[in-house]
Amino acid sequence: MKIDVNNITMIYPSGKKALQDVSIRAESPSFIGILGPNGAGKTTLMKLLIAGLLPTKGEILLDEKPLLSQEKYLKSQLGYLPQSFGLYEELTVWQFLDYMAALKNVKGKATIDEVLALTSMTEQKRVRIRNLSGGQRQRVGIAQAMLGDPQLIILDEPTVGLDPEERVKFRNIFSEMARDKIILLSTHIVEDVQAVCNRVLVIHSGKVLFDGLPSKLIEQSEKHAGVYISQPNASAPEGCQIVSKIHTAEGIRCRVVAEQLPAYAQPVEPSLEDAYLYCIHKDISEKGDV
């Protein structure tokens, strides 16, 4: 499978420009992590890819043919977990997955049993959805996205509500599935992207700031990440973006990214989170917003 997003611009009726001249190409196998702050355009991009929205400008091709002319084929090959996923409260887990399988034209109880096992929901299959915990509901959402062995899987914040152990498990499942599929993972948890994705997109204010290997993004932030000891209530140094604060016996250990680190900051090897925040910070600084 191959997807080409060519110069997409999306302007909502309210006048808000959600995406501007975005171009992306993805081919199987590929595991792409999408990073960006709230309102960056991540969810809009995913809705365009599932034909849930029509672009104001540009085109999306699926295997070199217009996406809209292949909507039936797209639906048969799509596994989608939106950020806000509605569940039928009165149905049991099994009934809900059986219903979703029918909508996807996926046949066979073995398929439902398989996704239940993968998501560790076999014991809850007869439990009504209204009685599930938040994490269990999220697992049901992930299970329905996996029904039918889809070739394109789009996940919007799939590990929200899961504990660290569950997150690691699902990262491994997604990574295994990506061997012969295209998986798009939108998340605020940079650790998830660093653990499994072989490509990362950074989106800010409707534009793609970076598209490439995670290691290349980290490389761009070398000499732009540092740490220093601060006192309580001290403000961030001018031109710096604080990544984290940790209380220690010496004071508050601040980790920052900046175009020019303060003289008193000790440079450190950047993480993917540092690199992502530096990419966003640099774009804001160049626009003169800080």
Side-chain angles (χ1 to χ4, degrees), residues 8-10 19 43-56 60 67:
I8 287 293
T9 292
M10 180 66 201
L19 293 172
T43 297
T44 296
L45 175 61
M46 287 183 284
K47 287 182 178 179
L48 287 166
L49 290 173
I50 66 167
L53 290 173
L54 297 178
T56 306
I60 301 177
L67 181 68

Side-chain angles (χ1 to χ4, degrees), residues 72-274:
K72 186 175 181 180
Y73 171 68
L74 171 67
K75 301 300 183 187
S76 71
Q77 298 297 318
L78 176 66
Y80 178 48
L81 176 63
Q83 186 172 2
S84 299
F85 183 68
L87 298 171
Y88 294 89
E89 300 282 319
E90 295 301 316
L91 298 182
T92 66
V93 172
W94 173 273
Q95 289 171 336
F96 173 73
L97 292 176
D98 188 43
Y99 171 69
M100 294 302 294
L103 290 181
K104 292 185 175 186
N105 200 28
V106 174
K107 299 178 181 178
K109 293 184 178 180
T111 300
I112 298 176
D113 286 332
E114 182 180 345
V115 298
L116 282 170
L118 283 171
T119 55
S120 301
M121 288 296 291
T122 301
E123 293 184 3
Q124 290 81 25
K125 67 180 182 180
R126 302 192 189 284
V127 177
R128 294 191 187 278
I129 288 173
R130 68 167 180 252
N131 295 323
L132 298 177
S133 68
Q136 289 172 336
R137 288 168 176 254
Q138 195 68 6
R139 280 189 266 163
V140 174
I142 293 171
Q144 65 80 30
M146 296 164 64
L147 281 169
D149 193 30
Q151 294 304 298
L152 172 62
I153 300 177
I154 299 177
L155 306 166
D156 195 352
E157 301 287 354
T159 57
V160 169
L162 303 181
D163 62 39
E165 185 178 349
E166 289 178 314
R167 278 178 42 223
V168 170
K169 176 180 178 179
F170 280 107
R171 288 201 308 239
N172 292 336
I173 291 172
F174 298 151
S175 183
E176 184 70 22
M177 293 170 63
R179 290 187 177 189
D180 61 348
K181 310 178 191 307
I182 297 174
I183 298 183
L184 298 176
L185 168 65
S186 173
T187 180
H188 287 91
I189 305 173
V190 181
E191 182 184 351
D192 286 351
V193 174
Q194 187 163 12
V196 294
C197 296
N198 56 19
R199 179 177 164 193
V200 61
L201 298 178
V202 177
I203 298 180
H204 184 240
S205 298
K207 294 184 178 182
V208 175
L209 303 184
F210 179 86
D211 180 2
L213 297 171
S215 60
K216 292 295 184 183
L217 180 59
I218 292 173
E219 193 177 292
Q220 290 184 8
S221 65
E222 288 180 357
K223 300 181 180 179
H224 296 288
V227 297
Y228 66 92
I229 300 297
S230 176
Q231 297 303 312
N233 302 320
S235 58
E238 186 176 353
C240 290
Q241 169 72 48
I242 293 181
V243 178
S244 65
K245 291 183 177 181
I246 300 175
H247 288 267
T248 70
E250 302 170 22
I252 301 174
R253 188 174 186 268
C254 296
R255 189 179 183 101
V256 298
V257 291
E259 186 64 32
Q260 183 73 42
L261 291 171
Y264 51 82
Q266 178 183 353
V268 294
E269 183 177 346
S271 65
L272 185 62
E273 183 175 27
D274 295 330

